[in-house]
Amino acid sequence: MLSELKRLVDLQELDKVIREVTQSLEKLPQELEAESAALESMQAEYDAHGQELENLKKQRGETEKEVAEMEEGIKASRQRLMEIKSNIEYKAMLKEIGFKEDQRDQKETRVLELMELMAAQDQAMAGLTERLQEQDELVGRRSKEVEEQVAKLQKELAVLEKQRQELRKGVPAQLLKRYEFIRQRRNGTAISPVSDGVCFGCHMNILPQQFIDLQKGVEIIQCPHCQRILYWQEEALEEGISQGAS
């Protein structure tokens, strides 16, 4: 196998590892962001319950104040009732007192409803408190883990990039340019093995003469279908070159 072709095969395997490491580096912060977003959403839900609870407390206070004012009004009307001499006025006052008592009863019923709603909000917040604490602790742990993993992967990536630069030095600039061009358009696979005249990159047969020339190993040959740079699999296996085409 041509030395530059062998270097390209090794370079492709290295590029695939670099790609995996890079994807992991991108994925880790995204996972942490998802956990943080869940925490923020939970906190927003808790705050919403808290705001609703405050609104209910305010309504309860206002309603209880209205009940107290109505009680005073009813009490005053009953005192006036004792002073009325006319039977017609007496009946009218009784009717007025009855109306006020109905209004008071409605307000008292509303107070009870508000108290039930407040209890529901308290219960919801109590349940969220534990979940919030657990999620906050989870985010804290994951943040530390992600920081450590990112640092480790960055060191690994630096070593891989250095190895990549060394491999590239042994490949002619024009061939390297062709490799990068194909790799970007073929999902990271620019080099493909061939066995029995079939390109493993696209699973299509190459021309018989191309397969013969490939076996001779005197020139760089590309697949006429997918344009990947080809190498003979049997020769690669004999030379102990790893197979990584897809």
Side-chain angles (χ1 to χ4, degrees):
M1 181 184 292
L2 295 171
S3 61
E4 59 266 35
L5 185 57
K6 183 179 183 304
R7 279 185 171 268
L8 279 183
V9 174
D10 292 339
L11 180 61
Q12 176 167 276
E13 292 307 306
L14 188 60
D15 278 336
K16 288 182 177 180
V17 175
I18 290 174
R19 183 181 183 183
E20 290 174 0
V21 173
T22 302
Q23 288 175 340
S24 295
L25 277 170
E26 293 172 352
K27 186 178 179 181
L28 284 170
Q30 292 173 358
E31 292 176 351
L32 180 59
E33 185 177 342
E35 295 292 354
S36 297
L39 177 61
E40 291 177 4
S41 176
M42 206 176 295
Q43 183 64 57
E45 184 181 355
Y46 181 88
D47 292 342
H49 282 297
Q51 184 60 53
E52 179 62 19
L53 181 59
E54 289 302 314
N55 292 337
L56 292 171
K57 286 180 179 179
K58 183 178 179 182
Q59 291 180 48
R60 178 187 172 183
E62 292 173 349
T63 306
E64 286 178 337
K65 183 179 179 182
E66 291 175 357
V67 169
E69 291 173 351
M70 288 179 177
E71 284 286 4
E72 289 297 322
I74 293 170
K75 183 178 179 181
S77 294
R78 284 176 177 165
Q79 289 177 346
R80 286 168 51 199
L81 185 65
M82 304 299 295
E83 302 171 358
I84 294 175
K85 305 297 183 182
S86 169
N87 190 43
I88 295 176
E89 290 182 8
Y90 187 85
K91 289 182 179 180
M93 182 58 67
L94 283 177
K95 186 176 181 180
E96 180 181 327
I97 292 172
F99 176 74
K100 289 180 178 180
E101 287 176 338
D102 285 342
Q103 287 188 314
R104 178 205 59 196
D105 292 344
Q106 291 177 17
K107 293 292 182 181
E108 287 179 338
T109 299
R110 178 56 180 163
V111 169
L112 293 175
E113 291 173 351
L114 289 168
M115 290 174 68
E116 290 178 359
L117 292 171
M118 287 168 61
Q121 296 297 329
D122 275 327
Q123 185 176 2
M125 291 176 71
L128 279 170
T129 298
E130 184 176 351
R131 289 170 54 201
L132 266 171
Q133 183 177 354
E134 291 175 354
Q135 186 66 18
D136 185 59
E137 291 174 355
L138 173 62
V139 170
R141 288 196 306 271
R142 285 297 295 145
S143 180
K144 185 177 180 180
E145 290 171 358
V146 166
E147 185 179 351
E148 292 174 351
Q149 290 174 339
V150 166
K152 181 180 178 181
L153 288 172
Q154 285 176 337
K155 289 181 180 179
E156 182 180 345
L157 186 60
V159 173
L160 291 170
E161 289 289 357
K162 187 175 180 180
Q163 293 174 356
R164 187 175 192 272
Q165 290 303 319
E166 290 299 317
L167 275 176
R168 285 168 61 90
K169 290 178 182 178
V171 182
Q174 194 62 32
L175 181 58
L176 193 60
K177 183 178 180 181
R178 195 190 316 177
Y179 164 81
E180 295 291 356
F181 180 84
I182 300 170
R183 187 169 71 93
Q184 291 175 9
R185 285 158 180 76
R186 293 297 179 185
N187 196 31
T189 305
I191 315 293
S192 173
V194 173
S195 181
D196 295 328
V198 177
C199 168
F200 281 20
C202 62
H203 306 289
M204 298 287 287
N205 287 303
I206 63 174
L207 298 174
Q209 186 58 50
Q210 283 184 313
F211 188 43
I212 293 172
D213 293 340
L214 184 66
Q215 289 174 308
K216 290 179 180 179
V218 294
E219 63 179 312
I220 299 296
I221 296 176
Q222 289 181 243
C223 175
H225 306 289
C226 66
Q227 303 305 311
R228 290 182 174 91
I229 300 169
L230 304 175
Y231 65 90
W232 186 28
Q233 185 184 47
E234 282 74 7
E235 181 183 21
L237 289 173
E238 288 178 4
E239 296 181 10
I241 299 175
S242 60
Q243 308 297 300
S246 58

